[in-house]
Amino acid sequence: MKLRLTRLTSAAIGLVVGSGILAACGDDGPAAADDVADSVADAGDDLDASDPDASDPPDSAIVDTTPAAPSCTPRATTAVPAANFFSDISDASGIRVGNYLNPAPAGIVINDHSRLAFGDLNGDRLDDIVMHSLFPNAQAGVPFEHLVFLNNGDGTYRDHSTASGLRDSQTAFFAFGDVDNDGDQDIFAGLDIQLGGAQSQVWLNDGNAVFTQVPNAGVGGVTIPAAAANAIFFDYDGDALLDLFVGNGQTSASAPDWMFKGNGDGTFTDVRELLQNNGAAPSNGSVGCDYDNDGDLDLFISTYGVSVQLGANILWENNFGVFTNVAVARGFASLPGGNPWIASTGFGEDPEPGKGPGEYIGSNGFGIDCGDINNDGLMDVYLTTISHPGGNYTRMWSDATQVLINGGPDAGFAFTDEARTRSYPYNEGDVDGAMVDFDNDGWLDLSVSRDNKYESGYDTLDQKAWFGLMHQQADGSFKSVGPESGINEPDAVNIASLIDCTDGNTTCPDGEACLANRCRIPCSDDTACTSPEICDSRGFCKILATMRKAQNHAWSDIDRDGDMDLLVGGRDTGGGRPNFLFRNDIGQDNRWIGIHLVGDGQTINRDAIGARVTLTFAGVGTAGGDEHLIREVRSSRGMYNSADMRTLLFGLGDRACDYTATVRWPDGTTVELPAGALTDERYHTLTYPDVVSVDE
């Protein structure tokens, strides 16, 4: 069923043209293009009460102003169980084909494909998966490799790596976007190292997830450094063609960021001059969101290393297509205090001695995401860092992971870190981070991949390298639920139970041999091993403990049951390691709605990147105000372009049914969906400007 909804043109923001749903449409498909054009003209004409055009019928003749009956039934929110609300479906899903090489080729350094992302590559509204090997292999003479898995719709995937044409692209990560507005996802493939003349690339999709490289795409060359660490597709100039931001540098280099204007055919034009005063920095992660509510996407950049420009993060504020770094003014560049883990007087409590804004030591930043944590209609920021709590002066003052709350217009849209007051647990190894409402209670939670490099100095679980999941509580604090979630199994196996044979004693139990200094089961493939073990490339069964030492991670509703499932990159811990896929077993128990936005490719980019949907619940917010649930369409986030589901998913929890939904398109057109226009626990498609359908 398709419906035409109330629309507010950019010339009439704040004036409701009608409050109901246009009749007709029925099962005949979307309204014809000329009907849409007529609707636009009528809306503009209706603004003038003296319009003499008798051919325009009055609103009362074409609009049913009776609000639709709510299509939902409120119910109590199902609480998060004490344990095991995610299930490991990695093997059953089929996503582990070729994740690591066994036996490993000579010279391989990291035996995994742990950079990864979700993206709908064949247009079936089911998110597919891409996985990438890491740069140390390429530097050691083992080429980059990319794995592609297509979603079968039943929780399983099929290997499409070779058929996609992408397997052998000598690049490090992908950003997805419909650069030619033909309805499918194309790819920017970024290269993060100097590699024998190789360059970043653009690949066009034929609609069936088969890709062809664009020659001379304009995103690589002798003047452009091979140091791409992340990338964002968005339309900065409003011409309905996707443009490209590239954050350069990452953890091992420092370079200026880059901007490219999309030409609509897969080629791009260098417009880096739009980034004002763009100095060299190690840009390690990026995300785009409209933090100042002015209708365009701004760019948040996480930088790595307090030894370069004091580790100051970057906020490229979009001002009509010209970008200015306002990170210092907004409190995003660095924090006044130091590492809160240190008990010494002053650290994390008072400003760094003798310093002020723009002078404080910043962070070793990694992942970054944005979303409205407190449902006040303002986009907040989650920034994950590796902050060292000891050693030299800069380490002691480097910023820990941050939960940055937007102060809004009264505070000049400045951010305040509330990680400590919201009980976010400190961990020295935080890398990739995301915001997600995993249980659909209507409040954003936080997820974080963690490295184990520094964990030996800590005793508690939250300071170890288990995957972190922070559930937002009713008071706004975060409760760590990762260890019990089913994503991690810290007690499932006991490595200490392996018999040590380093002293030359090779007397091992039957079926075992002394391998790598311990008694282990020999193997040539995984069939000889018992879950949770895999066959290490060194020839023995290795314990596969979920989910320590993760790399990138991404969220998507892979089975379309209304909750976000989790894909995690299993960073190699020696001998090879596959990736992990976890099914969400709690979110579908609570109420939700999904909205997929589609641009027309003429006024709005087909991906609708930059569009925002707001659900407003009157009178139930802070101090009796309205509560707002906001989601924005974006291309990617974080380090090396983790990408989540593009469709917007809202958890509703126990909220009432009489909410309104407002869609703000990138050109300023606003569409209001009255109470009852959306059906609980169903996905919808909203096509620009105002046609909505309930997905089958």
Side-chain angles (χ1 to χ4, degrees), residues 331-487:
F332 177 68
S334 56
L335 301 179
N339 190 311
W341 185 258
I342 300 176
S344 302
T345 302
F347 292 118
E349 300 292 340
D350 299 318
E352 186 179 348
K355 303 293 178 64
E359 300 172 326
Y360 301 129
I361 291 171
S363 59
N364 303 307
F366 281 82
I368 188 166
D369 200 1
C370 58
D372 187 359
I373 289 175
N374 52 3
N375 291 350
D376 65 350
L378 298 164
M379 300 299 274
D380 309 305
V381 173
Y382 176 43
L383 173 63
T384 56
T385 78
I386 288 180
S387 177
H388 306 296
N392 61 30
Y393 181 87
T394 56
R395 282 191 170 202
M396 291 189 292
W397 285 100
S398 67
D399 298 333
T401 292
Q402 298 150 49
V403 179
L404 297 166
I405 302 301
N406 191 332
D410 292 342
F413 295 101
F415 293 92
T416 301
D417 179 34
E418 297 186 4
R420 295 188 70 189
T421 58
R422 291 176 179 265
S423 302
Y424 183 92
Y426 172 75
N427 187 292
E428 191 173 352
D430 285 358
V431 283
D432 197 24
M435 296 182 180
V436 60
D437 180 8
F438 75 85
D439 62 336
N440 282 337
D441 66 351
W443 297 95
L444 287 176
D445 311 304
L446 306 176
S447 60
V448 57
S449 305
R450 286 172 162 167
D451 193 275
N452 69 344
K453 184 177 180 181
Y454 310 101
E455 68 173 13
S456 61
Y458 305 92
D459 297 323
T460 60
L461 275 179
D462 276 326
Q463 275 68 56
K464 300 293 186 179
W466 305 110
F467 188 89
L469 189 62
M470 315 301 166
H471 182 228
Q472 187 171 176
Q473 306 294 290
D475 62 358
S477 66
F478 290 99
K479 178 183 178 182
S480 174
V481 297
E484 303 82 23
S485 63
I487 300 169

Side-chain angles (χ1 to χ4, degrees), residues 590-608:
N590 291 319
R591 291 172 47 228
W592 59 274
I593 60 167
I595 304 175
H596 184 81
L597 300 180
V598 180
D600 62 352
Q602 298 178 354
T603 303
I604 304 296
N605 66 87
R606 287 289 294 267
D607 288 338

